[in-house]
């Protein structure tokens, strides 16, 4: 089985204020200053800058291109425009001092900022994400969904990087085998033509193993024994199930749960019969649901269900008691006009109640040249 190395998770940094921006680098070393303004320094005093240099965030400055491969994912403000993925290292280097987002709107409101962390929770809209070797190292954001004003304005400059976007196909994989799921993640990590990028799940990645399972509902216990012990019935069910399980299956748990008292209901519509506005409980018998979870399978052969039914049925005949109850309570002669209504229902035979196949989902990008 291919084992994945633990994924390094970057520490969360807060939103960065305009002016000077600090980026917690992780493997980049000590926190370094991301400067603002034009790359060649301030304009001569005789030339008033078109935009105050404090307003520009050059989001690629300070990125170490000598360690791993840098990938930039751009999210256009137009929701109908597909995101762009740039991997050309020379183009990214060349744009370090040219690609920017303004940090203030003309009315003085905050616009762009730099958010560091793959796991940060924010309501801000993402303009771009920067990855090193498929691991997020920074995001460029704007507050509260205001990125739309960047569409056709000088507040955002990608410095020609959009011309270097690579073709890609989103891939949505589903696996029923855990080893195949882990092997695919490992292959993506080793193969530059496939990347997770912004499709990497933020938590529980890789997913823990989730084996297929089946929940069997066994015959409802119906007893008039006030000393009935649910734990003893659980042990009975465990003893009955274990030798019947197919190879690869295992018993996880058995649960016996007492139900609320059954109530008298109209046989025609199953609605409770009320006396003085209240339902009439039938207290001459107790009812218990019995369920068992079996891991490793999603079904059982019919003969196994039949065997479990015979081995675990514990139901007393309540017909006589019920007739007496109806006569005494309602003074009715039509005994067939009434039934017992049991919350959650009653089952007289073992059956599949719920099941889930083993499955794992993985979304990623195929970055090979389009055919």
């Amino acid at each position: 089985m291919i084992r994945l190395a633990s994924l390094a998770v970057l520490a969360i940094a807060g939103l960065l204020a305009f002016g000077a921006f600090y980026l917690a680098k992780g493997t980049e070393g000590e926190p370094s200053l991301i400067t603002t303004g034009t790359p060649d320094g301030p304009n001569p005093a005789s030339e008033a800058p078109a935009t105050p240099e404090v307003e520009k965030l050059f989001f690629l400055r300070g990125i170490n291109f000598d360690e791993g491969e840098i990938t930039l994912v751009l999210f256009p403000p137009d929701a109908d425009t597909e995101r762009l993925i740039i991997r050309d290292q020379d183009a990214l280097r060349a744009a370090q001092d040219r690609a920017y987002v303004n940090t203030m709107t003309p009315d003085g409101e905050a616009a762009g900022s730099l958010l560091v962390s793959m796991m940060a929770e924010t309501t801000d809209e993402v303009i771009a994400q920067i990855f090193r070797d498929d691991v997020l190292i920074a995001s460029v954001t704007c507050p509260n969904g205001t990125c739309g004003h960047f569409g056709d304005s000088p507040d955002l400059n990608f410095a020609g990087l959009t011309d270097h976007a690579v073709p890609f196909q989103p891939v949505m994989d589903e696996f029923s085998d855990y080893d195949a799921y882990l092997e695919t993640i490992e292959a993506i990590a080793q193969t530059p033509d496939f990347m997770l990028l912004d499709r990497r799940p933020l938590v529980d990645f890789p997913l823990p193993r989730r084996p297929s399972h089946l929940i069997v509902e066994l015959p409802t216990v119906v007893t008039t024994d006030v000393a009935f012990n649910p734990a003893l019935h659980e042990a009975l069910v465990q003893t009955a199930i274990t030798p019947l399980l197919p190879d690869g299956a295992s018993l996880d748990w058995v649960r016996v749960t007492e139900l609320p008292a059954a109530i008298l209901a109209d046989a025609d519509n199953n609605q409770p019969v009320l006396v003085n506005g209240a339902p009439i409980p039938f207290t001459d018998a107790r009812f218990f649901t019995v369920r068992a979870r079996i891991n490793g399978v999603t079904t059982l052969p019919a003969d196994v269900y039949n065997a479990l039914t015979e081995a675990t049925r514990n139901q007393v005949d309540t017909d006589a008691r019920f007739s007496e109850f109806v006569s005494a309570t309602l003074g009715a002669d039509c005994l067939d006009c009434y039934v017992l209504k049991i919350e959650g229902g009653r089952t007289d035979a073992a059956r599949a109640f719920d099941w889930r196949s083993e499955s794992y989902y993985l979304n990623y990008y195929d970055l090979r040249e389009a055919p």
Side-chain angles (χ1 to χ4, degrees):
M1 180 184 296
I2 296 178
R3 299 290 185 181
L4 289 180
S6 298
L7 295 173
V9 178
L10 299 175
I12 296 178
L15 289 174
L16 303 177
F18 67 91
F21 295 82
Y22 291 88
L23 173 61
K25 293 292 187 178
T27 55
E28 302 269 338
E30 293 298 318
S32 62
L33 180 66
I34 295 184
T35 58
T36 58
T38 58
D40 296 325
N43 292 336
S46 60
E47 299 180 20
T51 303
E53 59 182 40
V54 73
E55 292 189 356
K56 285 185 169 63
L57 167 62
F58 293 89
F59 50 85
L60 288 173
R61 279 187 181 172
I63 299 297
N64 182 0
F65 283 86
D66 296 326
E67 182 179 340
E69 180 182 88
I70 298 299
T71 300
L72 177 67
V73 178
L74 303 179
F75 301 85
D78 181 0
D80 295 329
T81 303
E82 199 170 50
R83 67 199 60 189
L84 303 174
I85 299 175
I86 295 92
R87 302 175 66 195
D88 187 315
Q89 302 299 286
D90 291 336
L92 290 167
R93 286 174 186 266
Q96 278 187 295
D97 290 326
R98 295 189 296 123
Y100 68 84
V101 57
N102 279 353
T103 62
M104 300 290 291
T105 62
D107 59 4
E109 295 294 327
S113 62
L114 198 63
L115 177 67
V116 184
S117 175
M118 188 174 68
M119 297 184 65
E121 294 184 5
T122 175
T123 58
D124 293 349
E125 188 175 351
V126 176
I127 302 171
Q129 290 180 330
I130 304 169
F131 296 83
R132 169 175 286 105
D133 293 334
D134 211 6
V135 175
L136 183 67
I137 60 174
S139 292
V140 183
T141 69
C142 62
N144 303 319
T146 59
C147 290
H149 81 276
F150 286 130
D152 296 310
S153 78
D155 288 321
L156 179 62
N157 178 21
F158 287 138
L161 287 173
T162 56
D163 296 334
H164 298 273
V166 298
F168 66 85
Q169 289 292 327
V171 180
M172 292 173 283
D173 262 349
E174 180 179 0
F175 304 86
S176 59
D177 179 83
Y178 192 61
D179 289 342
Y181 166 69
L182 293 182
E183 288 167 3
T184 301
I185 294 175
E186 181 69 15
I188 292 170
Q190 300 298 325
T191 307
D193 287 334
F194 299 91
M195 300 184 79
L196 297 170
L197 298 174
D198 60 299
R199 293 176 172 264
R200 181 190 299 270
L202 297 183
V203 295
D204 292 337
F205 183 74
L207 290 169
R209 183 155 203 162
R210 299 183 300 187
S212 57
H213 73 257
L214 167 68
I215 296 180
V216 176
E217 185 163 43
L218 296 116
T220 305
V221 171
V222 183
T223 181
T224 57
D225 182 2
V226 294
F228 173 77
N229 187 338
L232 294 179
H233 194 73
E234 288 179 2
L236 170 68
V237 173
Q238 291 173 1
T239 301
I241 289 179
T242 301
L244 297 174
L245 294 179
D247 292 341
S250 61
L251 179 62
D252 190 352
W253 48 255
V254 175
R255 293 176 184 162
V256 177
T257 306
E258 185 167 11
L259 296 170
I263 58 176
L264 196 62
D266 188 304
D268 291 334
N269 56 27
N270 204 37
Q271 293 302 305
V273 176
L274 304 180
V275 172
N276 296 325
I280 308 168
F282 177 72
T283 57
D284 287 352
R286 300 165 67 195
F287 299 84
F288 297 80
T289 59
V290 184
R291 291 176 185 165
R293 170 167 164 149
I294 301 170
N295 290 335
V297 294
T298 56
T299 189
L300 293 171
D303 60 335
V304 172
Y305 288 115
N306 293 336
L308 289 174
T309 297
E310 295 304 318
T312 65
R313 184 186 283 122
N314 182 354
Q315 298 179 340
V316 298
D317 185 355
T318 59
D319 288 348
R321 289 173 178 259
F322 180 66
S323 297
E324 294 173 0
F325 173 75
V326 172
S327 298
T329 304
L330 301 178
D333 296 328
C334 180
L335 300 181
D336 292 336
C337 295
Y338 304 97
V339 294
L340 283 179
K341 184 180 179 67
I342 303 168
E343 183 178 310
R346 165 180 169 170
T347 180
D348 298 323
R351 64 186 181 95
F353 177 76
D354 189 20
W355 60 90
R356 186 187 69 191
S357 299
E358 183 171 3
S359 62
Y360 310 92
Y361 298 92
L362 183 64
N363 296 331
Y364 55 94
Y365 292 108
D366 182 344
L367 298 166
R368 294 174 295 182
E369 289 292 333

